[in-house]
């Protein structure tokens, strides 16, 4: 495909900030293939902070598909895309309507996932959707028909800070939206508090961080830990004002312990040694195969695990998959 003919690219990816970080390798390969192009990302407003992490995105179109008027939002997107006269459109997502939306934009070259015969008629390139792989690779499949570049991991526009020796940065929370939807993906605050105490007892300098969604969890941790006044404990909650701030903090930590949430993917991009609590989600799809990222899982032998997104849209009541002891977590981190 001739590079000079692709000057204006529309990339569409709806989801949380984690999904947008997973999408970065796709955008990186697009920019390598079409270095003079302008990339506009259509995304949900809740994920706009991805722009703190990259300079690949020249412009954004916000599409609030969680709004009760989501169809009006999609119609607005179609008209906006027609107005801007894009040369190439690429859209993630396995919804059958995606191919129709792309076709209605009038964009000449349209890439999306193969969702059936209609998508194969309406898309220029209908790509097989392979969910049984790392999410970055799944999204990157979308651009394989148009580029030979292969970007395996997210890259962020953050200059790593010097490592603080003997530090363990802890980010315990998950998004409030996940909790509201009944998706419990991490251990409770009392377990996190015990983990902090055990790490401090092992002479680790523990830094506790979190975003606005994590306030209730952080408050409970702070009222539970016994090491709050120790020189080896640092409460950093509220000091990171952006994803960039958090990324810089992650880059400075010797080790990072977190839940299955967006900060995990920032840590992957920064190549910080990371330990992740996994319950009902599939770690093989959410982290790369790397010694730099260690999954911490319960030995619960649940026959349905991983079930979240695979077999159910909410977590079960028993949460056997999250019955991980503080001692088990700390043993992994100290190994």
């Amino acid at each position: 495909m001739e590079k000079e003919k692709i000057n204006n690219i529309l990339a569409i990816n709806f989801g949380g900030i984690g999904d947008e970080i997973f999408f970065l390798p796709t955008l990186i390969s697009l920019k390598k293939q079409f270095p003079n192009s302008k990339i506009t990302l259509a995304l949900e407003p809740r994920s706009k902070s991805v722009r703190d992490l990259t300079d690949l995105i020249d412009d954004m179109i916000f599409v609030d598909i969680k709004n009760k008027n989501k169809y009006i939002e999609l119609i607005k997107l179609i008209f906006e895309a027609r107005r801007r006269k894009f040369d190439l459109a690429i859209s993630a997502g396995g919804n059958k309507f995606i191919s129709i939306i792309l076709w209605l934009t009038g964009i000449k070259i349209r890439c999306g996932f193969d969702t059936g015969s209609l998508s194969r008629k309406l898309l220029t390139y209908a790509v097989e959707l392979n969910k049984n792989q790392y999410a970055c690779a799944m999204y990157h499949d979308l651009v394989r028909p148009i580029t030979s570049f292969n970007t395996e991991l997210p890259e962020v526009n953050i200059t790593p800070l010097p490592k603080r020796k003997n530090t363990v940065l802890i980010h315990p929370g998950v998004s409030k939206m996940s909790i509201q939807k009944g998706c419990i993906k991490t251990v409770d605050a009392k377990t996190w508090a015990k983990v902090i105490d055990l790490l401090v007892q092992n002479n680790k300098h523990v830094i506790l961080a979190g975003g606005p969604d994590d306030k209730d969890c952080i408050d409970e941790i702070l009222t539970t830990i016994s090491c709050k006044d120790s020189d080896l404990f640092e409460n950093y909650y509220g000091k990171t004002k952006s994803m960039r701030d958090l990324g810089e903090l992650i880059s400075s930590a010797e080790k990072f312990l977190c839940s299955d949430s967006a900060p995990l993917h920032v840590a992957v991009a920064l190549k910080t040694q990371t330990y992740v609590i996994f319950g009902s989600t599939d770690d093989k799809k959410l982290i790369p195969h790397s010694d730099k990222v260690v999954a911490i899982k319960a030995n619960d032998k649940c026959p349905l695990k991983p079930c979240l997104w695979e077999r159910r849209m909410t977590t079960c009541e028993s949460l056997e998959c999250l019955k991980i002891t503080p001692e088990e977590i700390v043993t992994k981190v100290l190994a």
Side-chain angles (χ1 to χ4, degrees):
M1 188 175 294
E2 295 182 40
K3 296 181 181 181
E4 64 270 16
K5 292 185 178 180
I6 304 296
N7 298 312
N8 200 10
I9 298 173
L10 173 64
I12 304 172
N13 188 34
F14 302 138
I17 182 66
D19 293 292
E20 302 306 334
I21 297 172
F22 282 141
F23 203 48
L24 287 179
T26 305
L27 300 184
I28 292 166
S29 288
L30 276 174
K31 194 66 174 180
K32 288 178 180 177
Q33 181 68 32
F34 309 110
N36 298 318
S37 65
K38 173 184 176 182
I39 296 178
T40 298
L41 178 63
L43 72 169
E44 296 181 49
R46 63 186 171 120
S47 303
K48 62 184 179 181
S49 59
V50 69
R51 206 168 186 179
D52 293 339
L53 302 173
T54 180
D55 55 7
L56 287 167
I57 303 166
D58 297 289
D59 200 2
M60 290 182 165
I61 299 174
F62 297 122
V63 185
D64 191 0
I65 60 168
K66 294 292 187 291
N67 190 306
K68 62 181 179 180
N69 297 317
K70 66 178 181 180
Y71 295 110
I72 294 176
E73 291 282 300
L74 291 171
I75 290 169
K76 287 181 182 177
L77 171 62
I78 292 168
F79 279 102
E80 184 65 12
R82 294 184 73 91
R83 185 183 72 81
R84 296 198 189 196
K85 301 186 184 305
F86 293 101
D87 304 308
L88 167 67
I90 176 170
S91 180
N95 192 300
K96 292 184 178 182
F97 288 105
I98 293 291
S99 58
I100 298 173
I101 291 170
L102 289 184
W103 181 74
L104 289 172
T105 64
I107 299 169
K108 184 177 179 180
I109 303 172
R110 304 176 296 279
C111 304
F113 287 121
D114 185 345
T115 56
S117 58
L118 185 61
S119 67
R120 292 190 288 273
K121 289 179 181 178
L122 298 181
L123 297 176
T124 313
Y125 300 105
V127 179
E128 179 185 358
L129 174 56
N130 178 9
K131 294 183 178 181
N132 295 314
Q133 59 180 327
Y134 180 38
C136 285
M138 179 187 73
Y139 287 139
H140 198 279
D141 284 346
L142 288 164
V143 295
R144 296 203 185 279
I146 57 176
T147 180
S148 59
F149 291 103
N150 182 33
T151 310
E152 295 184 352
L153 296 176
E155 297 171 15
V156 292
N157 191 28
I158 291 173
T159 302
L161 298 178
K163 291 290 182 186
R164 297 175 61 183
K165 291 183 179 180
N166 201 43
T167 53
V168 179
L169 172 63
I170 292 181
H171 194 292
V174 296
S175 74
K176 192 167 284 186
M177 180 175 287
S178 293
I179 297 170
Q180 291 170 347
K181 289 166 65 176
C183 301
I184 309 303
K185 298 194 293 179
T186 190
V187 295
D188 60 30
K190 287 183 173 58
T191 299
W192 281 112
K194 182 64 175 174
V195 166
I196 292 171
D197 281 333
L198 287 172
L199 287 170
V200 168
Q201 288 169 25
N202 280 275
N203 295 313
K204 290 295 179 182
H205 186 116
V206 178
I207 305 166
L208 179 64
D213 283 3
D214 308 318
K215 185 179 186 308
D216 292 343
C217 177
I218 296 288
D219 286 347
E220 188 172 351
I221 289 171
L222 291 175
T223 58
T224 306
I225 58 173
S226 58
C227 65
K228 186 161 55 174
D229 297 323
S230 169
D231 291 339
L232 291 174
F233 174 73
E234 187 175 352
N235 179 16
Y236 219 83
Y237 176 72
K239 295 182 181 180
T240 52
K241 303 299 183 182
S242 67
M243 287 298 291
R244 176 174 291 277
D245 289 347
L246 179 59
E248 290 178 348
L249 181 62
I250 291 171
S251 75
S252 72
E254 189 172 81
K255 295 183 176 182
F256 180 48
L257 174 60
C258 63
S259 305
D260 170 16
S261 59
L264 154 64
H265 312 305
V266 177
V268 168
L270 291 165
K271 297 179 175 58
T272 295
Q273 184 65 46
T274 301
Y275 302 82
V276 195
I277 305 295
F278 276 103
S280 57
T281 50
D282 191 344
D283 59 291
K284 293 179 179 62
K285 299 178 182 179
L286 297 171
I287 59 175
H289 182 67
S290 167
D291 293 339
K292 284 285 187 182
V293 193
V294 177
I296 301 176
K297 301 183 286 186
N299 187 25
D300 57 310
K301 303 205 181 346
C302 173
L304 297 179
K305 180 181 172 182
C307 66
L308 190 60
W309 316 132
E310 310 294 328
R311 296 179 175 89
R312 60 170 79 230
M313 300 307 292
T314 60
T315 45
C316 67
E317 292 183 6
S318 67
L319 289 176
E320 294 294 322
C321 60
L322 283 172
K323 291 184 178 176
I324 311 170
T325 68
E327 290 79 9
E328 289 170 330
I329 295 170
V330 170
T331 298
K332 285 278 192 181
V333 175
L334 295 179

